[in-house]
């Protein structure tokens, strides 16, 4: 009698692995890996496509050569000096917002938790608009002011939500209230400013990639180079927080220090992103949920969420530039139009699950 062969594992099933040198063990997730590669490839194609658009059209192949400094000298100048900063800011802002949203949604165990919803982008925006309208920066750049505004808002939310610890649900409720306070302060500052100051502030508040320069690229790239490894390095603790505070503490996770560290890392990402391009709506809310469903994971994967954010911002920027001939819409208008249905869908799901209030 023949013995039947054991069933073969699923092609995209998770596989544990263990290495002797270096002593590393973990789980290989092929679907997550393939999703990340696919999203990264899509973001790269949109990145290059955006560089072809302008008053001086450039072929896609010429853009690829110009990125490496080869080809026609005029094309290289147009691509590298005039168009590349805008594309890089869109790429980096999408990564920053996507990773930040994944951090907050994992930390609070709530898909509705994002910097948009708990006041962080509004706090950063209030600080920057105050500098634009009042003309006072204290010798600080807009990136620094945005960081300080978001950090102050985060600490206020964390302090008000503290009651023997800061749970995710209290952070969300307090954050919504603080968000409205910051929005009211921003509206007051815009109304108080003169016409030109108000126009400059409103153009920035929508979320805009027009006129980006290498200054925004440099500050945002440095912030990501520092904060992204820190955030990814806390990935194991992030996953244990998804199990609840008691279980996480039982597994050896220092719950409150980790939550505070994740809060500060997420604040830094969203603050520098907001200072570079304004509060681009719904990217931090929607992209982690999209990435989680594409990758089939139990929580939003931070890196894939960041790549999805880059894909969404770059794609939205293309739509903003091409939707109405002769007009360049702010990218935040497009992301808001695309992200609002995602928010409604999440609210419906939360209500059906009995967790939507």
């Amino acid at each position: 009698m023949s013995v039947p062969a054991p069933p073969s594992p699923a092609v995209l099933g998770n596989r544990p692995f263990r290495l002797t040198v270096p002593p590393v063990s973990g789980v290989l997730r092929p679907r997550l890996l393939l999703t990340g590669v696919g999203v990264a490839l899509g973001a790269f194609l949109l990145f290059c496509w955006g560089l072809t658009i302008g008053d001086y059209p450039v072929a896609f192949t010429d853009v690829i050569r110009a990125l490496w400094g080869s080809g026609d000298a005029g094309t290289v100048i147009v691509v590298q000096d005039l168009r590349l900063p805008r594309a890089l800011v869109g790429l980096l802002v999408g990564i920053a917002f996507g990773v930040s949203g994944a951090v907050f949604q994992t930390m609070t165990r709530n898909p509705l938790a994002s910097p948009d919803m708990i006041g962080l982008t509004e706090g950063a925006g209030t600080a920057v608009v105050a500098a634009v309208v009042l003309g006072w920066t204290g010798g600080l750049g807009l990136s620094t002011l945005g960081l300080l505004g978001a950090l102050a808002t985060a600490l206020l939310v964390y302090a008000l939500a503290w009651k023997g610890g800061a749970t995710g649900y209290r952070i969300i409720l307090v954050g919504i209230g603080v968000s409205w306070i910051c929005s009211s302060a921003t509206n007051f500052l815009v109304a108080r400013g003169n016409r030109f100051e108000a126009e400059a502030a409103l153009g920035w508040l929508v979320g805009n990639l027009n006129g980006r320069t290498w200054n925004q690229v440099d500050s945002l790239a440095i912030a990501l180079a520092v904060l992204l490894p820190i955030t990814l390095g806390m990935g194991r603790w992030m996953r244990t927080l998804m199990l609840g505070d008691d279980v996480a503490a039982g597994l050896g996770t220092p719950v409150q220090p980790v939550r505070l560290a994740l809060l500060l890392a997420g604040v830094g990402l969203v603050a520098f992103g907001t200072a570079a391009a304004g509060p681009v709506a719904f990217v931090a809310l929607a992209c982690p949920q999209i990435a989680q469903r594409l990758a089939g994971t139990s929580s939003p994967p931070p890196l894939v969420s960041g790549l999805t954010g880059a894909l969404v911002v770059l794609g939205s920027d293309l739509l903003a530039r091409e939707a109405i001939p002769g007009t360049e819409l702010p990218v935040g208008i497009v992301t808001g139009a695309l992200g609002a249905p995602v928010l409604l869908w999440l609210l419906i799901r939360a209500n059906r699950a009995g967790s939507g209030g």
Side-chain angles (χ1 to χ4, degrees), residues 12-38:
L12 295 181
N14 298 336
R15 295 179 175 87
F17 69 92
R18 182 177 182 181
L19 302 178
T20 304
V21 180
V24 175
S25 63
V27 177
L28 178 64
R29 296 178 172 85
R31 180 175 172 180
L32 177 62
L33 181 61
L34 291 175
T35 300
V37 172

Side-chain angles (χ1 to χ4, degrees), residues 183-211:
S183 297
S184 299
T186 301
N187 292 334
F188 169 76
L189 290 169
V190 171
R192 185 179 185 275
N194 59 40
R195 174 184 173 185
F196 299 104
E197 292 171 341
E199 288 180 352
L202 287 174
W204 181 86
L205 282 172
V206 176
N208 210 328
L209 296 179
N210 297 338

Side-chain angles (χ1 to χ4, degrees), residues 57-353:
V58 179
F60 192 90
T61 54
D62 292 336
V63 164
I64 301 296
R65 286 195 293 267
L67 288 174
W68 295 98
S70 61
D72 179 70
T75 301
V76 172
I77 292 174
V78 169
V79 171
Q80 292 193 356
D81 296 343
L82 301 181
R83 299 180 184 176
L84 190 56
R86 176 189 184 130
L88 284 174
V89 169
L91 177 72
L92 297 177
V93 163
I95 293 174
F97 282 175
V99 174
S100 179
V103 167
F104 282 101
Q105 290 177 10
T106 302
M107 180 180 67
T108 60
R109 294 189 295 159
N110 193 315
L112 297 176
S114 76
D116 312 84
M117 302 294 291
I118 62 176
L120 301 187
T121 54
E122 286 77 7
T126 300
V128 174
V129 170
V132 172
V133 172
L134 302 179
W136 181 85
T137 62
L140 302 176
L142 293 183
S143 296
T144 305
L145 289 171
L147 176 62
L148 293 177
L151 181 60
T153 305
L155 293 178
L156 177 62
V157 170
Y158 197 78
L160 293 176
W162 183 271
K163 187 179 180 181
T167 64
Y169 194 69
R170 285 203 299 269
I171 288 176
I172 295 173
L173 292 178
V174 172
I176 291 173
V178 173
S179 174
W180 280 104
I181 294 173
C182 293
S183 297
S184 299
T186 301
N187 292 334
F188 169 76
L189 290 169
V190 171
R192 185 179 185 275
N194 59 40
R195 174 184 173 185
F196 299 104
E197 292 171 341
E199 288 180 352
L202 287 174
W204 181 86
L205 282 172
V206 176
N208 210 328
L209 296 179
N210 297 338
R212 301 303 95 179
T213 66
W214 286 106
N215 290 332
Q216 286 91 9
V217 175
D218 293 341
S219 60
L220 191 51
I222 293 172
L224 281 175
V226 174
L227 295 173
L228 194 56
I230 294 175
T231 304
L232 297 179
M234 291 190 289
R236 180 176 62 87
W237 284 338
M238 288 174 60
R239 289 189 293 272
T240 60
L241 288 179
M242 287 292 296
L243 303 175
D245 290 0
D246 294 336
V247 175
L251 294 174
T253 301
V255 175
Q256 296 305 330
V258 168
R259 182 172 282 128
L260 181 59
L262 289 171
L263 179 68
L264 295 177
V267 167
L269 289 169
V270 74
F272 280 101
T274 302
V280 184
F282 288 120
V283 175
L285 174 70
C287 292
Q289 292 302 306
I290 296 172
Q292 179 178 348
R293 280 150 184 80
L294 289 176
T297 55
S298 59
S299 62
L303 187 57
V304 178
S305 298
L307 294 173
T308 305
L311 180 72
V312 168
V313 171
L314 292 171
S316 299
D317 188 44
L318 283 174
L319 288 176
R321 296 161 70 182
E322 296 293 297
I324 302 177
T327 302
E328 287 194 10
L329 298 174
V331 67
I333 292 179
V334 179
T335 60
L338 297 176
V342 177
L343 174 60
L344 293 176
W345 176 71
L346 290 174
L347 288 172
I348 293 170
R349 277 178 54 89
N351 187 56
R352 287 177 177 174

